Amino acid sequence: MRVFVTGGTGLIGSAVVAELLGNGHTVLALARSDASALVAEAAGAEPLRGGLADLDILRAGVAQADGVIHLAFANDFSSPDALARAVAEESAALAALGEELIGSDRPFVTVSGTPHAPGRASTEVDPLPTDGPVGGRGRAVTAVLGLASRGVRSTAVRMPRTVHNQGTGGFAGLLSGIARQTGVSGYPGDGAQRWPAVHALDAAVLFRLALEQAPAGTSWHAVADEGDKVRDIAAVIGRRLGLPVESVPSETYGPLGPIFATDQPSSSTHTRRALGWEPKHPRLLEDLENIQP
């Protein structure tokens, strides 16, 4: 299958591209810069120059592909306005990609976060949030899944709060970055809140399985660790960086503060049974031991 991939040179995307190429697929990768194009070429993909805001380029990529995997996101969490702009850009891109696929029965795999389910681990049947800082993402992905009734084999792979590889990535990566800046390995509240996690290489396998097998309109959880306590994550970061570990105000994390403070474990039981997905790479707390001072 020839697969058009957005975000194919990031932490998750590079793993997805390698997984696709290693399993007989070819990849057309959106590349927003010359440097990204070189990375895509070195990985064995064909680059398509353009960014997520270039809707005509996105449509051209779809026209050349047998399926689409969307992973790109601006990842600007510096302010509520910056985050809102990133969500709006992605929403427009998802709409353009989906419109181009209508009536084709081609697979369209998009990405979202695992939802929050008060008092328990969320499952694949729980709805995505449609309000709050990233509610726009939930609305956009829900619209993509709705394309199942319009001849698109649309599916969503829901990613946990931390997708990691060699001690970097995800919300845990943000924690370690802030720790380096502030001199404190912090956590909001009492740190008992739990975050799910997955290794990027395991997540990449699930994206491929969803592309190849998933029925239209379905959601899947790329969750290896159901929930690691944030204070345990901060403890490893503090030890690796030689920094004190303590509670800090949720405002430390900007617009993500309310999300960071929420207990949000997640299950992947259905995903593992239905698609035969089984994580094999190091769990988060083990992988964080790769952080270098």
Side-chain angles (χ1 to χ4, degrees), residues 7-275:
T9 58
L11 176 75
I12 304 171
S14 58
V16 169
V17 168
E19 175 71 18
L20 292 172
L21 293 172
N23 285 272
H25 301 288
T26 60
V27 174
L28 177 67
L30 186 70
R32 67 175 180 266
S33 68
D34 290 340
S36 292
L38 290 173
V39 171
E41 283 186 327
E46 176 188 343
L48 177 65
R49 284 287 277 111
L52 204 57
D54 300 321
L55 302 185
D56 287 341
I57 298 295
L58 297 182
R59 295 185 185 101
V62 174
Q64 300 175 53
D66 303 308
V68 176
I69 295 179
H70 165 73
L71 297 164
F73 189 69
N75 286 322
D76 188 345
F77 306 116
S78 60
S79 71
D81 285 345
L83 180 56
R85 285 193 298 271
V87 170
E89 179 184 68
E90 181 189 45
S91 298
L94 285 172
L97 292 166
E99 288 167 5
E100 195 69 19
L101 287 162
I102 288 172
S104 69
D105 291 321
R106 284 177 285 171
F108 181 16
V109 185
T110 191
V111 64
S112 73
T114 52
H116 166 56
R120 61 174 174 82
S122 67
T123 72
E124 294 85 347
V125 299
D126 287 312
L128 295 175
T130 54
D131 53 12
V134 292
R137 295 196 84 184
R139 293 191 296 272
V141 171
T142 299
V144 167
L145 294 177
L147 295 174
S149 65
R150 304 182 66 189
V152 182
R153 187 159 63 81
S154 54
T155 62
V157 174
R158 297 171 171 184
M159 307 301 289
R161 296 298 170 261
T162 290
V163 183
H164 56 91
N165 192 352
Q166 293 297 305
T168 64
F171 280 8
L174 291 177
L175 287 184
S176 61
I178 292 170
R180 292 179 190 274
Q181 294 168 9
T182 64
V184 173
S185 181
Y187 53 85
D190 64 5
Q193 65 271 34
R194 294 161 293 172
W195 290 351
V198 69
H199 197 286
L201 297 179
D202 288 320
V205 174
L206 182 54
F207 275 99
R208 176 181 59 80
L209 292 173
L211 178 84
E212 294 172 346
Q213 303 178 22
T218 54
S219 297
W220 308 94
H221 279 191
V223 172
D225 305 3
E226 185 168 294
D228 295 306
K229 291 181 180 179
V230 178
R231 64 176 177 236
D232 292 340
I233 297 170
V236 178
I237 294 170
R239 177 166 48 75
R240 295 298 301 166
L241 297 180
L243 297 174
V245 181
E246 58 191 58
S247 177
V248 299
S250 62
E251 292 78 16
T252 303
Y253 308 107
L256 293 178
I259 299 174
F260 274 33
T262 303
D263 184 52
Q264 44 196 309
S266 187
S267 167
S268 60
T269 299
H270 171 69
T271 296
R272 297 183 193 218
R273 289 175 178 168
L275 294 183

